[in-house]
PDB file of all heavy atoms in Angstrom:
ATOM      1  N   LYS V 303     153.001  92.607 129.677  1.00 90.00           N
ATOM      2  CA  LYS V 303     151.624  92.644 130.159  1.00 90.00           C
ATOM      3  C   LYS V 303     150.977  93.999 129.874  1.00 90.00           C
ATOM      4  O   LYS V 303     149.803  94.082 129.457  1.00 90.00           O
ATOM      5  CB  LYS V 303     151.608  92.350 131.657  1.00 90.00           C
ATOM      6  CG  LYS V 303     150.271  91.874 132.141  1.00 90.00           C
ATOM      7  CD  LYS V 303     150.388  91.293 133.532  1.00 90.00           C
ATOM      8  CE  LYS V 303     149.125  90.562 133.933  1.00 90.00           C
ATOM      9  NZ  LYS V 303     149.250  89.926 135.226  1.00 90.00           N
ATOM     10  N   ILE V 304     151.734  95.071 130.091  1.00 91.00           N
ATOM     11  CA  ILE V 304     151.207  96.429 129.856  1.00 91.00           C
ATOM     12  C   ILE V 304     150.821  96.591 128.387  1.00 91.00           C
ATOM     13  O   ILE V 304     149.735  97.082 128.063  1.00 91.00           O
ATOM     14  CB  ILE V 304     152.273  97.492 130.245  1.00 91.00           C
ATOM     15  CG1 ILE V 304     152.552  97.451 131.742  1.00 91.00           C
ATOM     16  CG2 ILE V 304     151.835  98.886 129.822  1.00 91.00           C
ATOM     17  CD1 ILE V 304     151.406  97.906 132.636  1.00 91.00           C
ATOM     18  N   LYS V 305     151.720  96.150 127.484  1.00 92.00           N
ATOM     19  CA  LYS V 305     151.436  96.288 126.046  1.00 92.00           C
ATOM     20  C   LYS V 305     150.263  95.402 125.632  1.00 92.00           C
ATOM     21  O   LYS V 305     149.464  95.761 124.775  1.00 92.00           O
ATOM     22  CB  LYS V 305     152.683  95.944 125.219  1.00 92.00           C
ATOM     23  CG  LYS V 305     153.684  97.066 125.191  1.00 92.00           C
ATOM     24  CD  LYS V 305     154.795  96.771 124.208  1.00 92.00           C
ATOM     25  CE  LYS V 305     155.751  97.962 124.133  1.00 92.00           C
ATOM     26  NZ  LYS V 305     156.933  97.660 123.350  1.00 92.00           N
ATOM     27  N   TRP V 306     150.198  94.261 126.259  1.00 92.00           N
ATOM     28  CA  TRP V 306     149.084  93.343 125.972  1.00 92.00           C
ATOM     29  C   TRP V 306     147.747  94.015 126.337  1.00 92.00           C
ATOM     30  O   TRP V 306     146.801  93.996 125.548  1.00 92.00           O
ATOM     31  CB  TRP V 306     149.303  92.053 126.766  1.00 92.00           C
ATOM     32  CG  TRP V 306     148.174  91.075 126.696  1.00 92.00           C
ATOM     33  CD1 TRP V 306     147.540  90.649 125.581  1.00 92.00           C
ATOM     34  CD2 TRP V 306     147.535  90.415 127.796  1.00 92.00           C
ATOM     35  NE1 TRP V 306     146.555  89.757 125.909  1.00 92.00           N
ATOM     36  CE2 TRP V 306     146.532  89.587 127.265  1.00 92.00           C
ATOM     37  CE3 TRP V 306     147.739  90.422 129.187  1.00 92.00           C
ATOM     38  CZ2 TRP V 306     145.714  88.795 128.077  1.00 92.00           C
ATOM     39  CZ3 TRP V 306     146.935  89.623 129.973  1.00 92.00           C
ATOM     40  CH2 TRP V 306     145.939  88.821 129.430  1.00 92.00           C
ATOM     41  N   LEU V 307     147.728  94.604 127.544  1.00 92.00           N
ATOM     42  CA  LEU V 307     146.499  95.286 127.971  1.00 92.00           C
ATOM     43  C   LEU V 307     146.200  96.456 127.034  1.00 92.00           C
ATOM     44  O   LEU V 307     145.049  96.701 126.669  1.00 92.00           O
ATOM     45  CB  LEU V 307     146.635  95.783 129.424  1.00 92.00           C
ATOM     46  CG  LEU V 307     146.826  94.697 130.482  1.00 92.00           C
ATOM     47  CD1 LEU V 307     146.922  95.313 131.875  1.00 92.00           C
ATOM     48  CD2 LEU V 307     145.677  93.689 130.453  1.00 92.00           C
ATOM     49  N   ARG V 308     147.266  97.165 126.640  1.00 93.00           N
ATOM     50  CA  ARG V 308     147.092  98.274 125.685  1.00 93.00           C
ATOM     51  C   ARG V 308     146.494  97.754 124.374  1.00 93.00           C
ATOM     52  O   ARG V 308     145.555  98.338 123.828  1.00 93.00           O
ATOM     53  CB  ARG V 308     148.444  98.932 125.406  1.00 93.00           C
ATOM     54  CG  ARG V 308     148.371 100.063 124.391  1.00 93.00           C
ATOM     55  CD  ARG V 308     149.691 100.228 123.656  1.00 93.00           C
ATOM     56  NE  ARG V 308     150.004  99.046 122.824  1.00 93.00           N
ATOM     57  CZ  ARG V 308     151.142  98.901 122.163  1.00 93.00           C
ATOM     58  NH1 ARG V 308     152.099  99.811 122.249  1.00 93.00           N
ATOM     59  NH2 ARG V 308     151.356  97.835 121.418  1.00 93.00           N
ATOM     60  N   ASN V 309     147.017  96.642 123.894  1.00 93.00           N
ATOM     61  CA  ASN V 309     146.520  96.073 122.634  1.00 93.00           C
ATOM     62  C   ASN V 309     145.027  95.757 122.709  1.00 93.00           C
ATOM     63  O   ASN V 309     144.269  96.024 121.779  1.00 93.00           O
ATOM     64  CB  ASN V 309     147.298  94.804 122.263  1.00 93.00           C
ATOM     65  CG  ASN V 309     148.751  95.105 121.943  1.00 93.00           C
ATOM     66  OD1 ASN V 309     149.112  96.268 121.762  1.00 93.00           O
ATOM     67  ND2 ASN V 309     149.589  94.080 121.892  1.00 93.00           N
ATOM     68  N   ILE V 310     144.646  95.172 123.837  1.00 94.00           N
ATOM     69  CA  ILE V 310     143.210  94.833 124.008  1.00 94.00           C
ATOM     70  C   ILE V 310     142.369  96.105 123.975  1.00 94.00           C
ATOM     71  O   ILE V 310     141.355  96.184 123.279  1.00 94.00           O
ATOM     72  CB  ILE V 310     142.989  94.060 125.336  1.00 94.00           C
ATOM     73  CG1 ILE V 310     143.656  92.682 125.255  1.00 94.00           C
ATOM     74  CG2 ILE V 310     141.495  93.906 125.627  1.00 94.00           C
ATOM     75  CD1 ILE V 310     143.631  91.899 126.558  1.00 94.00           C
ATOM     76  N   MET V 311     142.808  97.127 124.727  1.00 94.00           N
ATOM     77  CA  MET V 311     142.007  98.359 124.804  1.00 94.00           C
ATOM     78  C   MET V 311     141.970  99.079 123.449  1.00 94.00           C
ATOM     79  O   MET V 311     140.937  99.664 123.091  1.00 94.00           O
ATOM     80  CB  MET V 311     142.544  99.292 125.895  1.00 94.00           C
ATOM     81  CG  MET V 311     142.303  98.786 127.302  1.00 94.00           C
ATOM     82  SD  MET V 311     140.605  98.222 127.610  1.00 94.00           S
ATOM     83  CE  MET V 311     139.780  99.765 127.963  1.00 94.00           C
ATOM     84  N   VAL V 312     143.085  99.025 122.700  1.00 95.00           N
ATOM     85  CA  VAL V 312     143.094  99.651 121.363  1.00 95.00           C
ATOM     86  C   VAL V 312     142.065  98.964 120.466  1.00 95.00           C
ATOM     87  O   VAL V 312     141.262  99.632 119.794  1.00 95.00           O
ATOM     88  CB  VAL V 312     144.506  99.573 120.720  1.00 95.00           C
ATOM     89  CG1 VAL V 312     144.445  99.912 119.232  1.00 95.00           C
ATOM     90  CG2 VAL V 312     145.460 100.532 121.428  1.00 95.00           C
ATOM     91  N   VAL V 313     142.070  97.646 120.491  1.00 94.00           N
ATOM     92  CA  VAL V 313     141.121  96.892 119.656  1.00 94.00           C
ATOM     93  C   VAL V 313     139.683  97.254 120.025  1.00 94.00           C
ATOM     94  O   VAL V 313     138.839  97.482 119.152  1.00 94.00           O
ATOM     95  CB  VAL V 313     141.365  95.367 119.806  1.00 94.00           C
ATOM     96  CG1 VAL V 313     140.181  94.566 119.274  1.00 94.00           C
ATOM     97  CG2 VAL V 313     142.631  94.973 119.079  1.00 94.00           C
TER      98      VAL V 313
END
Side-chain angles (χ1 to χ4, degrees):
Chain V
K303 201 167 191 176
I304 295 292
K305 282 188 176 172
W306 174 49
L307 297 181
R308 178 207 65 185
N309 294 347
I310 293 174
M311 290 312 277
V312 167
V313 164

